[in-house]
Amino acid sequence: MKHSYEQVFQLFMEKLSGNLSPEENEELEKILSEDASFREIWGSLEAEARQLKVNEFLEGADAEAGLHALKAQIAAAGEVRRRKRRNIRKALTMAAVLLVILSGAWLTFFKNDEITGKEKIAAIIQQKKQTVNLVLGDGTSIGLDKTSHNQTIALDNATLQAANGALQYTSEDTLQNTLSVPAGENYKIVLSDGTEVWLNAETRLRFPFRFALASREVYVEGEAYFKVAKDARHPFIVHTPLTQVKVTGTAFNVNTYQAGNVTTSLVEGKVTTQSKDGKNAALEPGMEAGYTTGKGFTTGSFDEEEVLSWINGLYYFHNMPVTELARVASRCYGVKIILDKDKFAGKSITGVMDKNKLINFLNDLQAVANTTYSFSGNELYLK
């Protein structure tokens, strides 16, 4: 019987967490002695575990400490870009260990047909993902292909250049356009002044091709990271449903996903965020301001690695209720996830998920809560 990487990985996690029965340990030894491909994968996992000192992790730390450790692995200095994919694999390995520790759940040894089912579900969801869409001020709608290496669109009033998930343009038009990023996707746009904006899933940005006023103003709903081009004579203002952020040149993240709440996290420079009722908060780098309807602003420090991880497709979560995680995962993977609320009531998870690996997410959730799943239309049911 041929075993996939996911199967060996799941069994390895069960072995590490000490949940294998004597009979299962005996069966494992038999497979290791008879199956060369299984033995090869198992050996690579053992080597990786030794490098990460997983046994020390299992013996002592709590889930939060473990999460900080895996984040340190991802953020290790030197050759970051070249090593990023390898570090993400390590992060996911550590996350799976976290999930097993937190749940104490029984990890089953998946059959081939179940693994194939997950792959089919992931493929179908990928095919059903919506396209990033740009609606011009005159109502024209344009689909932007994220996979294109060079998509040029010539319009009467503008020339658009879309390549590798990013949009640039040349135009003198000052009408407001709306760039919409659907669930399961992210996108980057370079504005006419050189400001770079990364848009997370389920995010809309309203902007003109050319800024014509004394200030540069845009409107955002969802989550976006701004790296604003410096121009002291023309302040840059980001409007959200509840607040506005005013800067001249800086880098910051804005999150409006939660109804009635906006969080602004400053990476560099200075910003002042102001609510519609006139309240305001000034931020220094490393600080964030959360505004809640009826309560006003609260400020404090934030973890830059955690807040900005979405740009690289990673999502950290701390003791998050599974019901809330399902909402985040729905946005992340571009599929509506429906839970059996009674089964998942009171269950919380700490870990990390990779936007590009739905199968791993399903495996991990199955591990923590013995989850079964089915897929219909564009809805993923977890029971």
Side-chain angles (χ1 to χ4, degrees):
M1 176 181 177
K2 183 177 176 59
H3 300 92
S4 69
Y5 183 92
E6 285 78 9
Q7 288 178 299
V8 182
F9 180 75
Q10 293 289 339
L11 190 57
F12 185 76
M13 290 298 100
E14 181 71 357
K15 174 72 173 178
L16 280 180
S17 61
N19 286 327
L20 290 181
S21 68
E23 293 79 11
E24 288 169 327
N25 270 305
E26 184 177 344
E27 179 64 21
L28 171 61
E29 293 301 322
K30 182 179 179 181
I31 296 174
L32 283 169
S33 66
E34 296 177 352
D35 190 326
S37 62
F38 185 100
R39 191 165 55 249
E40 181 179 357
I41 297 172
W42 189 273
S44 69
L45 290 171
E46 285 184 324
E48 189 169 36
R50 285 194 297 271
Q51 186 175 0
L52 287 172
K53 298 182 180 179
V54 169
N55 286 333
E56 294 178 17
F57 170 77
L58 285 170
E59 289 173 0
D62 58 28
E64 293 297 325
L67 186 60
H68 288 304
L70 74 89
K71 286 162 62 178
Q73 290 285 345
I74 297 173
E79 298 182 84
V80 173
R81 289 188 180 275
R82 185 176 65 81
R83 296 168 53 194
K84 187 173 293 181
R85 291 184 180 177
R86 182 179 63 194
N87 286 341
I88 289 173
R89 176 66 260 178
K90 291 180 181 179
L92 292 175
T93 300
M94 292 292 283
V97 175
L98 282 168
L99 294 173
V100 172
I101 293 170
L102 287 169
S103 66
W106 186 258
L107 200 59
T108 58
F109 191 58
F110 298 121
K111 297 289 191 295
N112 277 339
D113 57 344
E114 291 175 317
I115 294 295
T116 301
K118 291 172 189 172
E119 292 171 345
K120 286 182 178 179
I121 289 174
I124 292 170
I125 290 173
Q126 180 66 35
Q127 292 173 356
K128 286 179 173 288
K129 282 187 179 180
Q130 298 179 11
T131 303
V132 176
N133 191 57
L134 176 65
V135 177
L136 305 182
D138 62 5
T140 302
S141 181
I142 301 169
L144 300 174
D145 183 2
K146 272 196 66 177
T147 63
S148 174
H149 296 297
N150 189 6
Q151 181 184 13
T152 301
I153 302 172
L155 306 171
D156 292 338
N157 60 351
T159 299
L160 311 181
Q161 191 73 39
N164 303 316
L167 175 66
Q168 299 186 67
Y169 56 83
T170 55
S171 177
E172 295 299 313
D173 197 330
T174 58
L175 292 178
Q176 292 286 320
N177 312 295
T178 301
L179 181 62
S180 298
V181 181
E185 299 289 357
N186 52 28
Y187 205 73
K188 179 184 175 182
I189 180 172
V190 181
L191 302 178
S192 60
D193 65 336
T195 292
E196 298 175 277
V197 188
W198 288 259
L199 304 175
N200 204 349
E202 290 188 345
T203 297
R204 288 189 298 276
L205 177 73
R206 186 153 59 90
F207 68 100
F209 279 139
R210 183 174 68 87
F211 296 109
L213 303 176
S215 59
R216 301 167 287 166
E217 302 189 33
V218 299
Y219 299 77
V220 67
E221 294 179 55
E223 183 170 26
Y225 175 67
F226 291 85
K227 193 169 184 179
V228 179
K230 293 182 179 180
D231 185 348
R233 295 181 301 172
H234 300 90
F236 194 95
I237 300 175
V238 178
H239 296 272
T240 77
L242 300 176
T243 64
Q244 68 176 32
V245 184
K246 185 176 181 179
V247 303
T248 55
T250 188
F252 61 97
N253 195 81
V254 175
N255 187 325
T256 76
Y257 281 136
Q258 185 177 344
N261 182 276
V262 175
T263 301
T264 303
S265 308
L266 181 62
V267 176
E268 62 182 50
K270 292 184 178 180
V271 306
T272 299
T273 177
Q274 180 176 323
S275 62
K276 292 182 178 179
D277 58 8
K279 298 177 181 178
N280 62 74
L283 295 178
E284 298 289 337
M287 302 295 290
E288 69 179 8
Y291 177 82
T292 303
T293 302
K295 296 182 179 180
F297 284 102
T298 58
T299 60
S301 60
F302 72 98
D303 186 325
E304 181 179 331
E305 174 79 15
E306 183 174 326
V307 170
L308 301 183
S309 63
W310 65 266
I311 296 174
N312 294 320
L314 290 177
Y315 294 81
Y316 296 106
F317 43 94
H318 297 259
N319 199 29
M320 180 180 287
V322 176
T323 50
E324 182 180 347
L325 179 61
R327 289 193 291 271
V328 176
S330 294
R331 184 169 63 237
C332 173
Y333 294 112
V335 59
K336 185 175 182 180
I337 297 176
I338 299 177
L339 294 175
D340 181 333
K341 293 183 179 179
D342 292 335
K343 178 173 182 177
F344 293 102
K347 292 185 181 292
S348 297
I349 301 176
T350 293
V352 62
M353 64 180 169
D354 187 330
K355 172 180 176 293
N356 298 310
K357 296 185 178 180
L358 174 59
I359 293 175
N360 284 9
F361 173 74
L362 293 177
N363 285 344
D364 289 343
L365 199 54
Q366 187 168 19
V368 280
N370 195 26
T371 307
T372 60
Y373 55 89
S374 60
F375 182 76
S376 178
N378 196 36
E379 296 179 340
L380 181 60
Y381 296 86
L382 300 179
K383 299 179 181 180

